[in-house]
PDB file of all heavy atoms in Angstrom:
ATOM      1  N   MET A 396      69.978  82.356 162.930  1.00 82.00           N
ATOM      2  CA  MET A 396      70.179  81.821 164.340  1.00 82.00           C
ATOM      3  C   MET A 396      70.728  80.352 164.202  1.00 82.00           C
ATOM      4  O   MET A 396      71.639  80.004 164.987  1.00 82.00           O
ATOM      5  CB  MET A 396      68.823  81.836 165.066  1.00 82.00           C
ATOM      6  CG  MET A 396      68.409  83.216 165.568  1.00 82.00           C
ATOM      7  SD  MET A 396      66.787  83.154 166.335  1.00 82.00           S
ATOM      8  CE  MET A 396      66.875  82.013 167.543  1.00 82.00           C
ATOM      9  N   ALA A 397      70.273  79.626 163.187  1.00 82.00           N
ATOM     10  CA  ALA A 397      70.701  78.247 163.044  1.00 82.00           C
ATOM     11  C   ALA A 397      72.196  78.318 162.598  1.00 82.00           C
ATOM     12  O   ALA A 397      72.944  77.559 162.961  1.00 82.00           O
ATOM     13  CB  ALA A 397      69.909  77.618 162.036  1.00 82.00           C
ATOM     14  N   SER A 398      72.455  79.289 161.705  1.00 80.00           N
ATOM     15  CA  SER A 398      73.898  79.433 161.266  1.00 80.00           C
ATOM     16  C   SER A 398      74.868  79.803 162.413  1.00 80.00           C
ATOM     17  O   SER A 398      75.970  79.226 162.478  1.00 80.00           O
ATOM     18  CB  SER A 398      73.789  80.505 160.051  1.00 80.00           C
ATOM     19  OG  SER A 398      75.221  80.766 159.750  1.00 80.00           O
ATOM     20  N   VAL A 399      74.336  80.649 163.210  1.00 79.00           N
ATOM     21  CA  VAL A 399      75.227  81.072 164.358  1.00 79.00           C
ATOM     22  C   VAL A 399      75.446  79.807 165.294  1.00 79.00           C
ATOM     23  O   VAL A 399      76.513  79.567 165.815  1.00 79.00           O
ATOM     24  CB  VAL A 399      74.608  82.172 165.146  1.00 79.00           C
ATOM     25  CG1 VAL A 399      75.383  82.387 166.587  1.00 79.00           C
ATOM     26  CG2 VAL A 399      74.855  83.379 164.381  1.00 79.00           C
ATOM     27  N   SER A 400      74.344  78.972 165.426  1.00 80.00           N
ATOM     28  CA  SER A 400      74.623  77.799 166.279  1.00 80.00           C
ATOM     29  C   SER A 400      75.580  76.806 165.744  1.00 80.00           C
ATOM     30  O   SER A 400      76.380  76.295 166.347  1.00 80.00           O
ATOM     31  CB  SER A 400      73.180  77.112 166.435  1.00 80.00           C
ATOM     32  OG  SER A 400      72.252  77.936 167.080  1.00 80.00           O
ATOM     33  N   PHE A 401      75.435  76.589 164.396  1.00 78.00           N
ATOM     34  CA  PHE A 401      76.416  75.724 163.712  1.00 78.00           C
ATOM     35  C   PHE A 401      77.879  76.363 163.869  1.00 78.00           C
ATOM     36  O   PHE A 401      78.795  75.619 163.914  1.00 78.00           O
ATOM     37  CB  PHE A 401      75.967  75.427 162.283  1.00 78.00           C
ATOM     38  CG  PHE A 401      74.833  74.488 162.216  1.00 78.00           C
ATOM     39  CD1 PHE A 401      73.804  74.884 161.348  1.00 78.00           C
ATOM     40  CD2 PHE A 401      74.771  73.315 162.953  1.00 78.00           C
ATOM     41  CE1 PHE A 401      72.627  74.122 161.285  1.00 78.00           C
ATOM     42  CE2 PHE A 401      73.626  72.570 162.817  1.00 78.00           C
ATOM     43  CZ  PHE A 401      72.592  72.932 162.047  1.00 78.00           C
ATOM     44  N   SER A 402      78.027  77.603 163.678  1.00 76.00           N
ATOM     45  CA  SER A 402      79.292  78.216 163.845  1.00 76.00           C
ATOM     46  C   SER A 402      79.826  78.132 165.192  1.00 76.00           C
ATOM     47  O   SER A 402      81.163  77.880 165.299  1.00 76.00           O
ATOM     48  CB  SER A 402      79.166  79.801 163.515  1.00 76.00           C
ATOM     49  OG  SER A 402      78.834  79.956 162.156  1.00 76.00           O
ATOM     50  N   ILE A 403      79.077  78.241 166.269  1.00 76.00           N
ATOM     51  CA  ILE A 403      79.562  77.935 167.536  1.00 76.00           C
ATOM     52  C   ILE A 403      80.108  76.529 167.686  1.00 76.00           C
ATOM     53  O   ILE A 403      81.049  76.213 168.373  1.00 76.00           O
ATOM     54  CB  ILE A 403      78.480  78.244 168.648  1.00 76.00           C
ATOM     55  CG1 ILE A 403      78.357  79.859 168.583  1.00 76.00           C
ATOM     56  CG2 ILE A 403      78.894  77.834 169.993  1.00 76.00           C
ATOM     57  CD1 ILE A 403      77.157  80.322 169.500  1.00 76.00           C
ATOM     58  N   ASN A 404      79.275  75.619 167.154  1.00 76.00           N
ATOM     59  CA  ASN A 404      79.605  74.225 167.262  1.00 76.00           C
ATOM     60  C   ASN A 404      80.843  73.805 166.542  1.00 76.00           C
ATOM     61  O   ASN A 404      81.746  73.191 167.246  1.00 76.00           O
ATOM     62  CB  ASN A 404      78.467  73.351 166.584  1.00 76.00           C
ATOM     63  CG  ASN A 404      78.864  71.835 166.537  1.00 76.00           C
ATOM     64  OD1 ASN A 404      79.284  71.281 167.592  1.00 76.00           O
ATOM     65  ND2 ASN A 404      78.690  71.280 165.392  1.00 76.00           N
ATOM     66  N   ASP A 405      81.112  74.345 165.407  1.00 72.00           N
ATOM     67  CA  ASP A 405      82.380  74.030 164.708  1.00 72.00           C
ATOM     68  C   ASP A 405      83.677  74.857 165.039  1.00 72.00           C
ATOM     69  O   ASP A 405      84.648  74.680 164.538  1.00 72.00           O
ATOM     70  CB  ASP A 405      82.153  73.928 163.126  1.00 72.00           C
ATOM     71  CG  ASP A 405      82.052  75.285 162.573  1.00 72.00           C
ATOM     72  OD1 ASP A 405      82.115  76.401 163.302  1.00 72.00           O
ATOM     73  OD2 ASP A 405      81.638  75.384 161.356  1.00 72.00           O
ATOM     74  N   GLY A 406      83.322  75.918 165.991  1.00 69.00           N
ATOM     75  CA  GLY A 406      84.542  76.656 166.438  1.00 69.00           C
ATOM     76  C   GLY A 406      84.854  77.945 165.733  1.00 69.00           C
ATOM     77  O   GLY A 406      85.778  78.594 165.976  1.00 69.00           O
ATOM     78  N   SER A 407      83.894  78.291 164.659  1.00 65.00           N
ATOM     79  CA  SER A 407      84.054  79.505 163.990  1.00 65.00           C
ATOM     80  C   SER A 407      84.032  80.672 164.843  1.00 65.00           C
ATOM     81  O   SER A 407      84.712  81.614 164.589  1.00 65.00           O
ATOM     82  CB  SER A 407      83.120  79.587 162.819  1.00 65.00           C
ATOM     83  OG  SER A 407      83.241  78.478 161.871  1.00 65.00           O
TER      84      SER A 407
END
Side-chain angles (χ1 to χ4, degrees):
M396 286 175 53
S398 176
V399 167
S400 295
F401 288 129
S402 296
I403 291 171
N404 173 50
D405 70 6
S407 298

